[in-house]
Amino acid sequence: MEAFGPWRLILVAIFAGFLHFQGSCSSDAAPNYTFMQEATNAPPVAYYDYIIIGGGTAGCPLAATLSQNFRVLLLERGGSPYGNQNITNLTTFTDTLRDTSPTSPAQSFVSEDGVVNTRPRVLGGGTCLNAGFYTHADPEFVQKAGLDLDLVNRSYEWVEKVMVFEPQLRQWQSAVRDGLLEVGVLPVNGYTFDHIYGTKVGGTIFDKDNHRHTAVDLLQYANPSGLTVLLHATVHRILFKTKGQSKTAAHGVIFKDGAGNEHRAYLSKERGKESMGEIIVSAGALGSPQLLLLSGIGPAQHLKSLGIKVLLDQPMVGQGMADNPMNIIVVPSPSPVEISLVQQVGITRLGTYIEALSRIDFVRFFGLTTPTNETTPETTKSALEIIERLQNAGMIVEKTIGPVSTGYLKLRNRNPDDNPMVTFNYFKEPEDLQRCVNGMKIIEGVVNSKAFSNFRYQNDTVEALLNMTQYLVKNIQPKRSNASTFESLEQYCKDTVVTIWHYHGGCQVGRVVDHQYRVLGVGSLRVIDGSTFIDSPGTNPQATLMMLGRYMGIKIRNERLGRHDLD
């Protein structure tokens, strides 16, 4: 594999699309959302009952729910997904993530660990970029979060009526499923959203025409007269006041539109009284802690070093950052392979989940290029051979549960458009590394299974596939000199770790927010998104994030209006 040296490129942020997501509208057909407009059309100052920062996976359902009873402003730093064919179509899944332009819906970032990643910059958030898998949280997650199970289930159903479909497994995906069963990932659980041990088919947000549906579709539930959605609206900081308050409380935001003009939005007062409304941050696991820090809530020493006035010395903001490690095996096939993203999962008892996808554009996926005049005939031939093999191949992946290893987030500067610095500390704890090894052994068993035999070349040993994959899959961590040659599963996990885009933490429950997601130490401010998670829920978080947006919308409404109903 060293002969491919001139061809080796750093893995781009394509892996971000793994998640880390029935209705009348998909991303290529824009609904008549009269409440959605460019932020350049916003007045210099406006007042609302609730201001939601971030129109992502949690922000959209939250806004739709609150708009039924209140005047809601939803601020999104990106644009609309509608009309973007790369977002819409399953077959162009990789194109969205390879677009690293300043206006791309996928903003690339590299963690301090040297792993390339992506954060969404589009209305609908990660549901516009991911591999589409839909499955509920594990029961333990719901219990630890102290959520009302009846309202949780109703909230899931509210989402599913609009944008979730049953995938149709074809031959390659069926072979992976049967291989999982053959190696003992039992029982077979059929089609279900439930998180239960064994092998199951989950839901998908891709419809029968392979068109993506996103969290933006949930805005069809909104009251058009109660909601304003502003696109390309970047919030620079949250405004606070203390006059007449027992403690400091949020009361507005400063944001800039796409032309750089500054706007302010404030919480409405009611008949001369202090506002009962709230600022709700739903900017994601990077954006939410970043915005709290920019607004003066965080470790005092860090804030002072950047010239930010300390509003609240809160050392836990930005702490507990975690990204579920992903490792893979690529398997070229002698038999025709369908195009598919994640449709099923093996939920093991060994600390790992097994998923698969097939015949996507692997050349783009791995950032490979075609030969140049600078390469030798030998490397040209070898590179063309491997590129040719990738045209009909599948990929089986393992996601490490947890993880136990965590890190932290800090500001790089005071510019909200720039990525913060984030360290995930992949495999710092031995327990995570062992889980990865367990998962890779299961994948080896699937590849060697009778059920999968038609989809692998018999002379391709697992070690040969590991060597090929190790060559293809690159992060930018420091490497051993012989890192292209398989040595052990432990070293393989370390050398080929990439993201599955299920990163979380930074504003965790019990540390930065309470169990109602209110920011500790200040009033009228909540954080509702994946930054509050201690662990990533279930095998894929998007269903739970959308559920949480709906769930907390109902909770906030009932708390304010004195209601007790769940719909």
Side-chain angles (χ1 to χ4, degrees), residues 402-436:
V404 180
S405 307
T406 62
Y408 53 89
L409 176 149
K410 292 184 176 181
L411 294 178
R412 192 178 305 276
N413 53 43
R414 294 170 61 174
N415 185 349
D417 290 317
D418 289 347
N419 291 314
M421 297 182 292
V422 59
T423 302
F424 292 119
N425 287 323
Y426 298 97
F427 299 129
K428 181 180 179 181
E429 300 298 331
E431 183 178 348
D432 292 333
L433 186 59
Q434 183 59 53
R435 289 170 172 176
C436 176

Side-chain angles (χ1 to χ4, degrees), residues 52-175:
I52 301 172
I53 303 168
T57 313
C60 283
L62 176 63
T65 301
L66 289 175
S67 72
Q68 292 295 327
N69 300 92
F70 310 105
R71 292 185 66 245
V72 177
L73 173 64
L74 179 61
L75 297 169
E76 169 53 46
R77 71 190 183 112
S80 168
Y82 296 116
N84 187 325
Q85 294 298 315
N86 287 345
I87 289 176
T88 302
N89 297 319
L90 182 148
T91 55
T92 53
F93 166 66
T94 59
D95 292 341
T96 308
L97 297 163
R98 276 189 58 81
D99 179 4
T100 58
S101 67
T103 59
S104 170
Q107 182 179 1
S108 178
F109 73 94
V110 182
S111 73
E112 300 304 295
D113 315 272
V115 174
V116 184
N117 212 316
T118 301
R119 57 189 295 208
R121 180 172 48 197
V122 60
L123 188 68
T127 63
C128 299
L129 308 178
N130 64 25
F133 196 59
Y134 181 95
T135 182
H136 293 177
D138 46 298
E140 185 179 2
F141 178 91
V142 175
Q143 183 179 19
K144 284 184 177 180
L147 302 178
D148 180 283
L149 184 58
D150 191 13
L151 183 53
V152 164
N153 289 334
R154 287 172 180 257
S155 298
Y156 277 130
E157 291 168 1
W158 181 86
V159 172
E160 289 150 15
K161 288 177 182 177
V162 170
M163 56 175 292
V164 184
F165 304 84
E166 179 177 357
Q168 299 302 310
L169 267 66
R170 293 170 61 190
Q171 290 183 331
W172 191 87
Q173 286 278 351
S174 296

Side-chain angles (χ1 to χ4, degrees), residues 336-459:
V337 171
E338 71 266 16
I339 298 174
S340 67
L341 298 183
V342 179
Q343 296 180 326
Q344 59 186 320
V345 62
I347 300 176
T348 78
R349 297 180 183 272
L350 299 175
T352 187
Y353 304 132
I354 311 298
E355 299 176 351
L357 67 168
S358 57
R359 227 198 80 202
I360 59 172
D361 189 341
F362 281 103
V363 174
R364 284 183 175 271
F365 200 98
F366 291 109
L368 297 177
T369 60
T370 52
T372 70
N373 293 332
E374 298 177 0
T375 58
T376 66
E378 291 76 16
T379 57
T380 296
K381 180 181 178 182
S382 298
L384 287 175
E385 286 176 352
I386 194 169
I387 288 174
E388 178 65 25
R389 297 195 77 201
L390 292 176
Q391 302 308 305
N392 191 55
M395 186 162 65
I396 308 176
V397 313
E398 76 87 26
K399 167 189 171 180
T400 299
I401 297 174
V404 180
S405 307
T406 62
Y408 53 89
L409 176 149
K410 292 184 176 181
L411 294 178
R412 192 178 305 276
N413 53 43
R414 294 170 61 174
N415 185 349
D417 290 317
D418 289 347
N419 291 314
M421 297 182 292
V422 59
T423 302
F424 292 119
N425 287 323
Y426 298 97
F427 299 129
K428 181 180 179 181
E429 300 298 331
E431 183 178 348
D432 292 333
L433 186 59
Q434 183 59 53
R435 289 170 172 176
C436 176
V437 170
N438 294 340
M440 296 309 299
K441 287 180 178 178
I442 292 172
I443 294 176
E444 287 184 3
V446 173
V447 171
N448 285 325
S449 68
K450 181 179 179 181
F452 196 73
S453 59
N454 289 337
F455 293 98
R456 58 164 291 201
Y457 290 94
Q458 294 307 307
N459 59 345

Side-chain angles (χ1 to χ4, degrees), residues 145-308:
L147 302 178
D148 180 283
L149 184 58
D150 191 13
L151 183 53
V152 164
N153 289 334
R154 287 172 180 257
S155 298
Y156 277 130
E157 291 168 1
W158 181 86
V159 172
E160 289 150 15
K161 288 177 182 177
V162 170
M163 56 175 292
V164 184
F165 304 84
E166 179 177 357
Q168 299 302 310
L169 267 66
R170 293 170 61 190
Q171 290 183 331
W172 191 87
Q173 286 278 351
S174 296
V176 173
R177 176 201 60 197
D178 294 344
L180 284 167
L181 298 174
E182 190 175 320
V183 300
V185 185
L186 298 167
V188 56
N189 292 313
Y191 174 57
T192 179
F193 299 148
D194 292 341
H195 183 93
I196 43 182
Y197 288 116
T199 297
K200 73 163 194 172
V201 177
T204 179
I205 61 175
F206 287 95
D207 62 25
K208 63 181 178 59
D209 296 318
N210 287 333
H211 287 173
R212 179 190 297 272
H213 293 250
T214 75
V216 191
D217 294 0
L218 298 173
L219 294 180
Q220 66 187 265
Y221 283 120
N223 173 11
S225 64
L227 179 61
T228 298
V229 178
L230 296 181
L231 303 175
H232 299 110
T234 301
V235 176
H236 281 240
R237 70 178 186 273
I238 302 166
L239 301 173
F240 296 87
K241 63 178 181 179
T242 56
K243 185 178 179 180
Q245 300 271 343
S246 59
K247 64 179 179 180
T248 301
H251 77 118
V253 299
I254 296 175
F255 66 94
K256 289 187 177 181
D257 62 31
N261 302 310
E262 185 174 292
H263 304 257
R264 294 187 178 221
Y266 294 99
L267 296 176
S268 302
K269 293 184 178 181
E270 298 181 358
R271 299 190 181 94
K273 299 179 181 179
E274 292 297 329
S275 172
M276 294 180 65
E278 294 174 309
I279 310 293
I280 304 174
V281 184
S282 297
L286 267 63
S288 290
Q290 180 183 24
L291 185 57
L292 291 191
L293 292 168
L294 290 171
S295 303
I297 301 176
Q301 185 175 357
H302 176 51
L303 299 178
K304 290 177 181 177
S305 70
L306 291 167
I308 298 173

Side-chain angles (χ1 to χ4, degrees), residues 484-496:
S484 289
T485 303
F486 175 72
E487 180 180 294
S488 68
L489 286 177
E490 287 81 1
Q491 195 63 49
Y492 183 88
C493 287
K494 293 178 182 178
D495 285 346
T496 65

